[in-house]
Amino acid sequence: MKNLLSVQEQLMSGKTDLKDLSEKYIEKIKARNSEINAFVHFNEEEVRSDAAKIQKKINDGKAGELAGVIVGVKDVICERGKKVTCASKILHNFTSVYDATVIKKLKEQDALLIGRTNLDEFAMGSSTENSFFGPSKNPVNTKHVTGGSSGGSAAVVAADLCDVSLGSDTGGSIRQPASYCGVVGMKPTYSRVSRYGLVAYASSFDCIGPFAKNVTDTALLLKHIAGKDEMDNSSADAKVDDYVAAVQKDEGKLKIGVPKEYFGEGLDDEVRTIVEDQLKTLETQNVELVPVTLPHMKYGIATYYILATAEASSNLARYDGIRYGHRADVNEVEEELGAERQALKQELKGASAAEVEEEMASVDSPLIRLYKKSRTEGFGTEVKRRILLGTYVLSAGYYDAYYAKAQKVRRLIKQDFVDAFREVDVIVSPTAPTTAFKLGENLDDPLQMYLNDVYTISANLAGICGISVPAGTHSNGLPVGIQFMGNTFCETDILRAARRVEANSSA
Ligand code: GLN
């Protein structure tokens, strides 16, 4: 498969130009996007003018290392002067005044940012159906979901509406949609990539990462977004490897751990067979398969949905309709409160003055009602559910039983990985238990929706890295992904494993 390095070579030698390349994508977006609803903001004139500026730099021999690379950006990552909606009504009118660090880095290297991609509201979901803009559709079969929450970012790459894209992964939101749409998606180690300018969902889990059509392009994008950033104190000062070179010169043995817990109940039979067949092929390629155990994995979903919702309830407190975000109509608030006071007065006819005063005090103040109404109108159902859950697990009386306990279990899950990585380089699993489900199929069943994350969330709980790479096609015609998880800052190992699968699959 052609990778971006060869496209860049053609550009630098003048065999193609960026105007033609971007025009090809503009046409494709215009033809296909209304069907799959993957880009939510796209301004063709801006794209043309950016392409011309970058082309000029190429002509002058001054282009950066990502010149010619055309990138979609999840609408949760801040881009200066662009709307950043997080697919939420509450931010439908919010324009960022600064660039996230990853955006700054891409621009410095002359990547062309072509548009903003759809997602589940505030990245909460596994299907991109919880979006203010309506669901994205899987380019492979538009009756099916893209996965989520970075469904738009997966779909724009799968439908070839751009070269690569950025997503965010808090519990699987890059890897699961990559698997559902048949592209490569990587969640780097927590802290590997700066979170500055990423709208926070659950800050101790959130990671920005790449989607691409192949492993080499994934490595290229990762190389340029990784690294310490003084704007994000949690970003790590660990050395950034040359991921592209590591993939291109992949040699030597890989020890791959196979955890039985990831191949148990709930896994679709064909998905299992596809993953196991890949493992058999890998065994012939200087790979040793080693059984490992991750005994606390079964607590992953419960632990994640306690901790992530707790963090979300705190992070989303800032959307109050006063400082920014959707604000309810102030006159409506006044009218509502007036009517409530009037009704109470009627009800309390004959009551003592003290009683009336006490009851009247139970009516919200205008400010409190404005907060409530703005948030009620601005947030969608799933986001409200998470804020409620998160507030509950953090409340006095429940804090120890839920939040504090989940923190301890998180530690045990992390320890499982520490122990396993003493024995192996990489751990393998299916990325998701099934292929992309039908639109609407899980919408009324949040628990079923959460179960989609069963194989991906442990990596976020442990802070390690993970990648999903296409492993085959199910008899239903939909793609199946295989996941490799690597130790902290060992992105090179999972890229190498993924590259071997890619080579086998395209052979
Ligand atoms: N599906 C998970 C959730 O709904 C993960 C989301 C994500 O990684 N942003 O929380």
Side-chain angles (χ1 to χ4, degrees), residues 123-126 148-149 168-173 201 304-305 386 453:
M124 297 177 191
S126 308
S149 64
S168 65
D169 191 313
T170 303
S173 276
Y201 158 18
Y304 169 82
Y305 277 96
R386 307 245 177 150
D453 307 326

Side-chain angles (χ1 to χ4, degrees), residues 245-254 285-286 493 496 500:
V247 168
Q248 285 175 330
K249 288 199 282 310
D250 171 30
E251 284 163 359
K253 190 170 167 180
L254 269 178
Q285 296 169 314
N286 210 3
D493 292 338
R496 286 172 57 212
R500 292 187 193 187

Side-chain angles (χ1 to χ4, degrees), residues 245-301:
V247 168
Q248 285 175 330
K249 288 199 282 310
D250 171 30
E251 284 163 359
K253 190 170 167 180
L254 269 178
K255 261 186 161 183
I256 300 187
V258 187
K260 61 175 184 307
E261 293 85 357
Y262 281 67
F263 290 84
E265 215 186 305
L267 175 60
D268 176 276
D269 283 341
E270 269 191 61
V271 173
R272 180 199 309 274
T273 307
I274 288 172
V275 172
E276 285 176 352
D277 285 350
Q278 284 289 354
L279 293 182
K280 279 186 205 133
T281 314
L282 281 170
E283 260 187 313
T284 65
Q285 296 169 314
N286 210 3
V287 163
E288 183 188 342
L289 298 179
V290 182
V292 292
T293 173
L294 298 162
H296 296 95
M297 179 256 183
K298 55 180 178 287
Y299 304 118
I301 297 233

